[in-house]
Amino acid sequence: MIKHYLKHQPLMIWGSAIIALLIVTAFGAQWIAPLDPIQQTLSDRLLAPSWQHWMGTDQYGRDVFSRLVYGSRISLAVGFVAVSIYIFIGTLVGSLAGYYGGWVDAVLMRLVDILLCIPTFFLILMVIAFVGPSIINIMVIIGLTAWTDVARLVRGEVLALKEREFVQAAKVIGLKDARILLKHILPNALGPILVVATLGVGGSILTESALSFLGLGVQPPVASWGNMLQEGKDHLTDAWWLVTFPGLAIFITVLGYNLLGNGLRDLLDPRLRGSGRNG
């Protein structure tokens, strides 16, 4: 059935191919990049794309293609680490709120409501202003501020699943709450969590790029797609390649994760599986 579904979902296959290419590029950067991404050669500054420099050079003579390749490591790391953090927190909070209900649900969901009232990006900016910009801080802060939607989703799934017969049977035979959650409820809620995680990687990459563009993310000379855009914005008229290629990299990567996430949603949701649509 999955093979039949994939045959009719080419966009999901394209999304998977994009992500696979990103992973290969990130792990093989030292072999793929032709030059050192931070080596400055002022005599080669602002060279247009050529056979020697496929995507040109920047204002410091650094090879744009090499920096783009190494920048994929930042995007991959931010996406996976940040999403892992907020999926863990959101799943924990949502599970406790949905399973126990009562005052536990009320307290945890009011906390979620309060955090939802604060724009996430603004909250991230405030935290970075205190702790300072770095790749580690970016990953942790995104993870600690983006878990609220996951918590609401998991809570809804747990509320529905805990009334099912197999959960009631587990309670009757005396299984502990932790085992019921981990062995019986959460595995059945894994589909929606997986979809949210996939879509969240793309969102985390966008957030890191925006922060780096503002100078609050990954700091030069480390290559990041966001700070490459920031460095190239002053040369829009005389060096178009400085913003075009990093912008395309961000666009294609986020598109790949969105295509894969939408495809997984259709695959895992029986109501959409036969609809033949990808969005």
Side-chain angles (χ1 to χ4, degrees), residues 196-209:
V196 170
T198 304
L199 295 172
V201 174
S204 298
I205 292 173
L206 276 178
T207 301
E208 180 277 322
S209 299

Side-chain angles (χ1 to χ4, degrees), residues 254-265:
V254 174
L255 176 64
Y257 279 107
N258 287 344
L259 291 176
L260 178 59
N262 288 335
L264 285 174
R265 182 194 63 188

Side-chain angles (χ1 to χ4, degrees), residues 86-91 94 146-155 193 196:
Y86 76 66
I87 288 294
F88 173 77
I89 297 175
T91 300
W147 55 269
T148 50
D149 288 335
V150 179
R152 292 164 69 96
L153 171 68
V154 173
R155 173 182 178 269
I193 296 174
V196 170

Side-chain angles (χ1 to χ4, degrees), residues 168-177 180:
Q168 296 301 320
K171 291 181 179 179
V172 169
I173 63 176
L175 294 183
K176 295 183 178 180
D177 292 342
I180 293 175

